[in-house]
């Protein structure tokens, strides 16, 4: 991944992205070529030296059966948004501005481990459900479903774990712009209010290189 110095995020910010992301792309090179599946992963910072991403996929998906050549990769994305040059204060000065895209992304590399074990898979399902149900007034839990039904569901999936060997991350959040343009981007995103705009505005503010300056 090409990461200019001003777009390189601190380690804690990368860990936060891995902890709070949604679904991500699992990509493997196999004898059948490149295979990819969108999966919801959970980040386990205690697994191995660098942590692991744990999830599950349908048993009928052949990706877990195919031998992996080299490392697996998971593409983890944060919020993203189109940035119009109309938000830049410098546009009125010289017009040497162009549109761009702000985003947060991590390429996670590691060994793919398959867990064809009902207890491991159930624990992962419970952890995943508990995380995403936490904000509801009456959160759903695995125990609410009939035991036999859950058993059938568990037989239809396999667990997957990417034991992390390295992470390449890039947070492109207008850090290369002058102060007045960064402020314009934040204001523009908050005013537009589409999709990820609020989250991207918060990220731009959090990574504002001028925040602690004069």
């Amino acid at each position: 991944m090409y990461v200019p110095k001003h777009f390189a995020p601190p380690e804690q910010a990368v860990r936060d992205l891995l902890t709070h992301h949604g679904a991500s792309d699992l990509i493997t090179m196999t004898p059948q070529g490149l295979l990819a599946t969108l999966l919801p992963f959970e980040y386990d910072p205690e697994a191995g030296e660098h942590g692991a991403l744990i999830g599950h996929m349908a048993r009928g998906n052949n990706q877990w059966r195919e031998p992996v050549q080299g490392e697996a990769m998971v593409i983890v994305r944060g919020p993203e948004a189109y940035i119009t040059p109309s938000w830049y204060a410098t546009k009125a000065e010289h017009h040497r501005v162009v549109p761009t895209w702000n985003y947060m992304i991590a390429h996670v590399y590691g060994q793919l481990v398959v867990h064809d074990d009902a207890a491991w898979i159930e624990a992962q399902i419970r952890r995943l459900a508990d995380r995403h149900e936490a904000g509801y007034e009456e959160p759903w839990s695995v125990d609410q479903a009939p035991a036999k039904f859950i058993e059938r569901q568990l037989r239809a999936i396999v667990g997957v774990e990417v034991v992390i060997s390295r992470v390449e991350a890039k947070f492109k959040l207008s850090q290369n712009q002058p102060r007045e343009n960064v402020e314009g981007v934040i204001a523009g995103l908050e005013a537009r209010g589409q999709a990820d705009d609020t989250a991207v505005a918060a990220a731009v503010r959090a990574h504002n290189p001028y925040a602690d300056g004069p």
Side-chain angles (χ1 to χ4, degrees):
M1 182 192 296
Y2 172 57
V3 186
K5 184 177 180 179
H6 40 260
F7 296 150
E11 289 187 12
Q12 184 57 54
V14 177
R15 287 193 290 269
D16 289 344
L17 175 61
L18 298 184
T19 300
H20 300 294
H21 78 282
S24 301
D25 298 296
L26 171 65
I27 302 171
T28 53
M29 173 59 78
T30 75
Q32 304 304 315
L34 282 171
L35 299 178
T37 303
L38 181 68
L39 300 173
F41 280 101
E42 286 290 303
Y43 175 53
D44 182 357
E46 305 301 323
E49 183 179 356
H50 303 289
L53 295 177
I54 60 174
H56 64 275
M57 67 169 56
R59 185 173 294 276
N61 186 334
N62 283 331
Q63 186 174 10
W64 69 272
R65 291 189 176 91
E66 293 291 338
V68 178
Q69 299 174 345
E71 295 177 305
M73 180 173 71
V74 179
I75 300 179
V76 178
R77 295 177 177 83
E80 57 185 90
Y82 171 77
I83 306 300
T84 171
S86 297
W87 292 340
Y88 294 160
T90 57
K91 175 178 178 291
E93 298 174 15
H94 49 61
H95 289 277
R96 294 192 298 273
V97 293
V98 293
T100 191
W101 202 269
N102 276 6
Y103 56 88
M104 305 163 70
I105 194 167
H107 290 178
V108 180
Y109 298 87
Q111 177 189 8
L112 178 64
V113 180
V114 175
H115 296 274
D116 195 1
D117 173 80
W120 191 97
I121 299 169
E122 181 177 349
Q124 194 276 324
I125 293 293
R126 287 180 179 275
R127 177 174 175 173
L128 184 66
D130 288 348
R131 173 192 164 197
H132 290 286
E133 291 285 333
Y136 291 94
E137 185 174 342
E138 297 183 6
W140 178 88
S141 73
V142 172
D143 295 322
Q144 293 178 16
K148 292 295 184 182
F149 172 77
I150 293 298
E151 289 177 11
R152 290 196 300 272
Q153 296 297 307
L154 293 177
R155 287 196 294 269
I157 58 179
V158 294
V160 291
E161 177 181 13
V162 176
V163 181
I164 299 172
S165 58
R166 57 194 172 99
V167 178
E168 297 178 350
K170 181 178 182 179
F171 287 14
K172 183 177 177 295
L173 298 166
S174 301
Q175 303 98 314
N176 60 328
Q177 293 294 327
R179 178 194 295 271
E180 61 270 29
N181 287 1
V182 174
E183 293 172 353
V185 166
I186 294 172
L189 287 166
E190 291 178 338
R192 188 174 64 187
Q194 298 177 1
D196 285 344
D197 285 350
T198 301
V200 176
V204 173
R205 182 178 287 107
H207 295 273
N208 184 352
Y210 309 101
D212 298 324

